[in-house]
Amino acid sequence: MNWPRWGKEATGTSPWARGKLLAALAVLTAGLLAFHSAVPNAVARIGSLLETFLPWLGLAVPLLLVLALLRRSALALVALLAPAAVWGFLFGGRLAADSRGAHDLTAVQHNVSDVNADPAATARTLTESDPDLLALEELTPAALPGYERALASAYPYRAVHGTVGLWSKQPLSDVRSLDIKPQGIEEDWNRGVRAKLRTGKGEIAVYVVHLPSVRVRWNGFSSGRRDESARLLGAVLAAEKLDRVILLGDLNGTTDDRGLAPVTSRMDSLGEGFAFSWPAAFPVSRIDHVMTRSATVTGIRTLPATDSDHLPVAADIELRG
């Protein structure tokens, strides 16, 4: 048998006695994946920071695997089964998720960037997939006319408020702004709009929002205003009288981030699949979302890059009933 040479005879110690630190790191990784919600947010909001990049914690598995093989540690190899299994349970379905699915309508969500130098080209990229709905954020007064001209023929209905807007092929009505502004932000901060969409399967409340930005600073993860805005949005969604809801927006957080729980807990379908949208140059997280209530996101994907630091996100939506 060759096993003893790989193990005890080669080094003088049993393969089950070597690599205790690697095994401990594997168990720690599994614990962080499985119990990320137990990581406290009171200090520097470290819990939300972990959850923002939670899927990437799985990279520890192949790294520890290489080290375990180099260390010739059977103990570490067995311990690695735990984080591999937990990661597969949490995120394996996203790998297998189809990018397209059965649908009644398609929606595109995009933070177009307030320094976008070519609104017309951005509009062309967004409409190439022929979506039914377009939700845009960071619309500036200077750029808005360019988007309106580029989208007017294909999307005759629109609802714009502040720096967010919705364009639709189907009629919109009952348009109103949303009060999701955290305390301490200037009065002209307007980042939410709600409209009623009329379809062949009934009316849908469509929300377009842009929650406050977050920052990673020396003293931790700065997400207080984002979290406050998310709580306000959650209350608005709870009060919505229409059963069907579509929420589109740059939420500046992932669906794993507990800071968005007031929103995600109010929605039925959050969109399977990774579809990382930020930053556009090397996407590592999806902070741009299409969520539904009494409807299902059957497929989600990113679209080609525009002159923005976000990638557009397209989602297929199946209406129930």
Side-chain angles (χ1 to χ4, degrees):
M1 294 178 60
N2 292 327
W3 172 257
R5 290 186 178 276
W6 186 85
K8 189 171 184 178
E9 288 187 6
T11 63
T13 58
S14 166
W16 297 99
R18 294 193 299 269
K20 292 180 180 178
L21 176 59
L22 294 176
L25 290 174
V27 172
L28 175 62
T29 301
L32 288 173
L33 284 166
F35 305 108
H36 56 87
S37 60
V39 177
N41 234 8
V43 179
R45 283 188 164 80
I46 193 67
S48 283
L49 180 60
L50 169 67
E51 290 162 342
T52 297
F53 303 103
L54 192 62
W56 294 97
L57 197 58
L59 290 179
V61 175
L63 175 61
L64 291 174
L65 175 62
V66 171
L67 294 176
L69 291 173
L70 292 174
R71 189 72 177 89
R72 298 179 180 181
S73 169
L75 177 66
L77 289 174
V78 171
L80 277 170
L81 294 174
V86 175
W87 192 96
F89 176 78
L90 292 176
F91 303 113
R94 300 188 190 182
L95 287 174
D98 294 332
S99 60
R100 298 301 306 262
H103 60 279
D104 296 295
L105 58 86
T106 298
V108 166
Q109 144 63 26
H110 190 34
N111 179 325
V112 296
S113 174
D114 56 7
V115 294
N116 191 320
D118 198 345
T122 296
R124 285 194 298 271
T125 298
L126 299 179
T127 56
E128 282 176 357
S129 59
D130 194 31
D132 302 279
L133 294 172
L134 278 174
L136 307 182
E137 299 85 46
E138 292 201 9
L139 294 169
T140 64
L144 180 58
Y147 289 109
E148 291 179 327
R149 286 192 299 269
L151 299 172
S153 60
Y155 299 89
Y157 307 99
R158 72 176 185 90
V160 176
H161 185 73
T163 58
V164 300
L166 173 68
W167 277 260
S168 173
K169 290 182 176 182
Q170 298 170 303
L172 299 173
S173 63
D174 193 18
V175 176
R176 59 177 183 262
S177 63
L178 302 177
D179 183 12
I180 59 171
K181 181 172 68 68
Q183 291 184 352
I185 292 185
E186 58 272 16
E187 287 299 321
D188 61 351
W189 190 94
N190 297 304
R191 291 191 180 184
V193 66
R194 181 263 193 197
K196 186 187 298 181
L197 173 70
R198 189 163 70 245
T199 74
K201 291 192 174 182
E203 295 179 331
I204 305 171
V206 182
Y207 289 78
V208 181
V209 299
H210 184 190
L211 300 190
S213 298
V214 298
R215 296 287 186 270
V216 180
R217 297 181 173 141
W218 66 269
N219 59 343
F221 192 55
S222 175
S223 65
R225 285 180 170 175
R226 191 278 315 269
D227 294 351
E228 182 182 349
S229 191
R231 289 192 291 270
L232 293 171
L233 177 58
V236 171
L237 292 170
E240 174 58 56
K241 291 181 170 55
L242 289 179
D243 291 332
R244 286 201 187 101
V245 176
I246 297 175
L247 171 66
L248 308 114
D250 174 2
L251 304 187
N252 272 304
T254 69
T255 56
D256 300 305
D257 187 340
R258 72 193 71 178
L260 295 185
V263 176
T264 56
S265 63
R266 301 289 182 186
M267 309 306 289
D268 300 330
S269 180
L270 308 182
E272 292 297 330
F274 287 111
F276 292 145
S277 64
W278 182 89
F282 187 77
V284 296
S285 65
R286 174 151 58 91
I287 62 176
D288 299 275
H289 298 281
V290 179
M291 303 179 184
T292 59
R293 188 170 77 198
S294 296
T296 303
V297 177
T298 57
I300 193 159
R301 61 202 177 277
T302 55
L303 299 179
T306 68
D307 192 16
S308 170
D309 57 340
H310 293 241
L311 291 178
V313 171
D316 298 318
I317 301 172
E318 187 174 38
L319 304 177
R320 301 174 188 171

